[in-house]
Amino acid sequence: NLNLKSSYRNLLNDLVSNTAALAALVGIDDLITLSPESISTTVKPWQMDIDETLQISKRNNEEYKALVAESESLQARSKSLSYNSLPKLFAGLRGAYQYSNGIIGAPRNTEWNDYYNINKSNWTASAGLGFSIEFDGGQSIARGQQLSSQSKAIQFQAVESQINTTYRIKSSYESLSNNRVRVEASTQAVKEAENVALVIKTVAALGIADVTQQVQAITLYESAVISFANAVFASKLALIDLYRYTFTLPENVQVISTLFDFK
């Protein structure tokens, strides 16, 4: 009995501590705690197979996308700097067309206007080739190599992020499957332990069972309940991780800003 009371008090203390921590995480006043109105022990299966889950994770992994984009940007800048030390060839082509029509430059009141009547066109064109080269002591090349190295390092980080996410999903998927089996088995164990405890209680009322048998029955029931709770907790945690690493939310989850009135 004392062991049961001790376990109960420990769980109660954990509940108070965790609800206070949850309130702090979502920005609620320190004097307010959050706790679920009801705790469901039902563990739903994951709605997708492992291959589909991995595909959704890769498609929604914003960290991976950001790292890849940063790596590509650095690589482009590296190539641009490497081109600075190369000779630059250029070609030029220029053309002009001039058309004149009318009396141009004639004196006033002259009979020779026809002499100054001009109607002509003129084409001019030019073309050229050349090259230029800039010397900066190899600074552009060195800076380009530095950016290329940074790009490769970030690319490795992106791959590592994807590998880590894949590992987490596979691990959580397997954990959910295994612990759902544990939940079913421990549920049956709780029922059997409860039946044993009731039988011992009835027999003890008749003066047949001793105290040791009663304590053993209570201990067996306590162990079964704890095992059931651990299995449910592990299953829920695996389910949460699947949502986390697929970067999705359950259908019944709303945006946090709609649940609380932040000032």
Side-chain angles (χ1 to χ4, degrees):
N1 191 22
L2 292 177
N3 289 335
L4 289 175
K5 288 184 178 181
S6 177
S7 298
Y8 172 76
R9 297 304 305 180
N10 289 336
L11 292 174
L12 184 61
N13 289 336
D14 289 341
L15 178 63
V16 173
S17 176
N18 291 334
T19 52
L22 177 60
L25 288 174
V26 297
I28 303 300
D29 188 270
D30 293 340
L31 299 179
I32 300 176
T33 59
L34 296 175
S35 61
E37 296 180 356
S38 61
I39 299 176
S40 173
T41 58
T42 302
V43 181
K44 297 181 180 180
W46 187 244
Q47 299 300 318
M48 296 173 284
D49 59 32
I50 186 64
D51 292 334
E52 186 179 1
T53 303
L54 291 173
Q55 289 298 324
I56 290 179
S57 172
K58 291 179 180 180
R59 188 165 59 247
N60 295 340
N61 192 341
E62 296 297 334
E63 180 186 23
Y64 173 78
K65 294 178 183 178
L67 290 171
V68 170
E70 184 178 359
S71 174
E72 292 176 349
S73 175
L74 290 173
Q75 193 62 37
R77 290 170 56 190
S78 172
K79 289 182 179 180
S80 176
L81 287 171
S82 66
Y83 294 152
N84 288 345
S85 60
L86 297 177
K88 296 178 177 61
L89 299 177
F90 60 87
L93 179 63
R94 181 181 180 182
Y97 172 73
Q98 184 179 8
Y99 174 74
S100 301
N101 184 21
I103 299 174
I104 302 175
R108 292 184 179 183
N109 302 320
T110 178
E111 297 178 356
W112 301 94
N113 285 342
D114 291 341
Y115 176 79
Y116 294 97
N117 189 5
I118 299 174
N119 186 352
K120 66 177 182 178
S121 60
N122 183 39
W123 282 93
T124 59
S126 62
L129 295 173
F131 76 95
S132 65
I133 188 170
E134 297 180 4
F135 296 98
D136 60 0
Q139 294 182 16
S140 296
I141 296 177
R143 178 58 177 162
Q145 291 175 346
Q146 180 185 14
L147 292 178
S148 179
S149 298
Q150 292 178 2
S151 173
K152 291 179 181 179
I154 294 175
Q155 188 175 10
F156 287 140
Q157 292 179 19
V159 173
E160 183 180 7
S161 172
Q162 198 72 285
I163 292 175
N164 179 65
T165 301
T166 300
Y167 165 76
R168 295 287 186 178
I169 287 177
K170 290 182 177 180
S171 177
S172 299
Y173 193 91
E174 188 67 22
S175 177
L176 178 61
S177 177
N178 292 336
N179 283 291
R180 289 188 72 245
V181 176
R182 284 183 55 203
V183 169
E184 295 178 1
S186 57
T187 299
Q188 186 62 33
V190 169
K191 293 180 180 179
E192 294 178 357
E194 185 176 6
N195 292 333
V196 171
L198 291 175
V199 170
I200 294 298
K201 180 179 180 180
T202 302
V203 173
L206 299 175
I208 300 176
D210 56 20
V211 176
T212 301
Q213 291 176 316
Q214 296 181 54
V215 171
Q216 289 176 344
I218 293 174
T219 302
L220 178 64
Y221 179 72
E222 178 187 10
S223 298
V225 171
I226 292 175
S227 178
F228 170 75
N230 289 336
V232 171
F233 178 78
S235 299
K236 298 279 189 179
L237 191 61
L239 191 60
I240 290 172
D241 281 343
L242 284 172
Y243 282 115
R244 175 184 178 184
Y245 291 107
T246 54
F247 311 97
T248 58
L249 290 173
E251 294 181 356
N252 60 339
V253 173
Q254 301 179 19
V255 179
I256 191 70
S257 61
T258 64
L259 299 179
F260 304 103
D261 184 17
F262 294 106
K263 302 298 182 180

